[in-house]
Amino acid sequence: MEHGESVTSLVIVILAAFFTPILMHRLRLKAIPVVVAEIIVGLIIGHSGFNIVDDSTWLETLSTLGFIFLMFLSGLEIDFSIFAKKGRNKRNSNQINNQPSAVWVATMVFLAILVLSLLLSYLFVLGGFIDNMFLMTLIISTISLGVVVPTLKEAQAMKTTVGQTILLIAVIADLVTMILLAVFVSFYGEESGNMWLLLILFGAGVLLYFVGKRFRNQTFLETMSKGTIQIGTRAVFTLIIFLVALSETVGAENILGAFLAGSLVSLLSPNQDLVQKLDSFGYGFLIPIFFVMVGVEMDLWSLFSNPKVLALIPLLFVALLVSKLVPVLIMKKWYDWRTVISSGMILTTTLSLVIAAATIGERMGIIDDQMEGALILVAVLTCLVTPPLFKKLYVNQTEPDHKQVVSFIGSNQATLPVVRELDNNSFEIYMYHTKMEKIDDKITRSIFDITQMENYDIDLMEEMNVFDVDILVVSTGDEEKNAEIASYAKEKGVERVIARIEKPGIDKELKEKGIDVFSVLLSSKALLKALIVAPSVVDILTEQESALYEINMNNPMYHESLIREFPFTGDVIMVRIFRGKDSIVPHGDTELRLGDHLIVTGSSEYVEELQELLEYGV
């Protein structure tokens, strides 16, 4: 009978996790993060509500695995390449008031958050709410990267300077608070004083990073990544289990090992297919179970019966706001009040690490279960309140004349015609070539501004800030050099890298790294074949009157508008919509959404009008 009840509880939790996002979509509750909704559903079916979920070994195991995988994906979500993007501001002509690097601003803001959190924690200790100031400092200073990233994406803020600064603050907070949590456990845990053992864990992490870097591009591994073997996915899960086990062995928490595993995978720049598989498995199965169970196990009524805990909830919420809003005033030197306050709001969101710290604190006997529930409840409240306030206050900083910086390495027949046709209002172009008589031609140099170099040495290009761009096109006469430069640029964090490769063998390796590859020979062959088989398709691509145009959907006024209800009546046809990794053939009932890339065709004047309407909101 016990086994039957266990399975019934598991089914209830799985159904709750399945129907929660569906209900949110139907009720259009876009402002509430899905994970918060899952906790709320857990409250309804758990101890605070109908109490229809019983204790279950299966649920406990799956919930623990969900928490471990959540910490892994938190580490994987950190894009370490953004720390390398220090020089891009040197080229950005649209920079606001000579703002310093985002890394510097983010570091200063987080240090201020940490110091202020320490002072606020001392007040909570004086007030008798908690005995451990270290634990409260961690709880107040942490920021939820898992809420910040999607919120910035929805607000179209990821590409802006302020968006990058907010993201960096959240990344630094995620890294530092996780490390401090490990230090906290080694100080106050059952085997206190073994903090030096953490060096074994981090040493193993460094060793595994170099091993992974050495073998990640081996041909035999690429062959084994397909079909029933899926060696990449196996390697990731082996890494997680190994570091989790090692973490527990040295006396640290298992979540530290999981977080370290995610950070290592992120540093190794995995291909996007693997990341998508891991996201699908985590957020599609294990993690929803964990968040539903957080709500199930929370007893709200016991919180309201304790006056001290009841008083803690609003005080801690205010402390979280103060700890973020005051430090971000540093940004007032470069931004307006709306931007500064909205930044403080989104940085107040906190969830995963608060749950981790509260759970660990309760297990170690530093806080009781009522205090644990209060801390988690406040974390949920921040996710309910602050993201909508951010969206309401934030004004997109992307200007209509914002230019993407593009570098061309190699000036030849493949690149020069493209440079001539690129719109100077949309792109800031830099060209580099070695000293050759061909490029020294007076006519060529009068048309193109080409920077000459002694050779295509990577160190030389680094000194010349060649890689401080949004898009890098590599098209020298040496394909091996193209591959080398493109790979280095991708590791440096260049968002889009395009390399000219004619040999079929090299292109697969580069595509695995997220590098776009083009071939003059294959392009010519494809075009000739298209002229024979489907000339009308070539006409669409080449004739100005029927050309294809890309328009970004940035206007929130038309978010979730149906195409058949869209008020624009100009001579424009929507051919395709790219949404993330999805390619959608539009029809009347297709919704437009923020962040969509629309491929349209029609008269140029109507296309420009539609572009002004959707991209700039004019």
Side-chain angles (χ1 to χ4, degrees), residues 311-385:
L312 173 68
I313 294 172
L315 290 174
L316 181 57
F317 186 85
V318 171
L320 289 170
L321 282 171
V322 171
S323 68
K324 308 305 187 302
L325 287 171
V326 173
V328 296
L329 292 178
I330 295 172
M331 298 168 61
K332 181 63 183 73
K333 181 177 179 181
W334 305 284
Y335 300 103
D336 58 82
W337 279 110
R338 285 177 67 99
T339 302
V340 171
I341 294 173
S342 63
S343 301
M345 285 295 174
I346 190 59
L347 290 172
T348 303
T349 56
T350 178
L351 193 62
S352 304
L353 280 177
V354 167
I355 295 174
T359 303
I360 291 168
E362 193 273 336
R363 190 169 63 243
M364 294 168 61
I366 295 173
I367 59 175
D368 57 24
D369 57 347
Q370 288 184 333
M371 180 67 72
E372 178 192 7
L375 295 175
I376 294 173
L377 180 60
V378 173
V380 170
L381 288 174
T382 62
C383 295
L384 285 172
V385 174

Side-chain angles (χ1 to χ4, degrees), residues 465-495:
N465 297 321
V466 172
F467 302 108
D468 298 327
V469 294
D470 299 300
I471 303 172
L472 182 73
V473 180
V474 190
S475 180
T476 73
D478 185 343
E479 293 185 32
E480 298 291 340
K481 177 59 73 173
N482 290 349
E484 180 189 356
I485 295 171
S487 299
Y488 180 82
K490 200 64 181 178
E491 289 181 2
K492 284 288 293 180
V494 179
E495 186 174 349

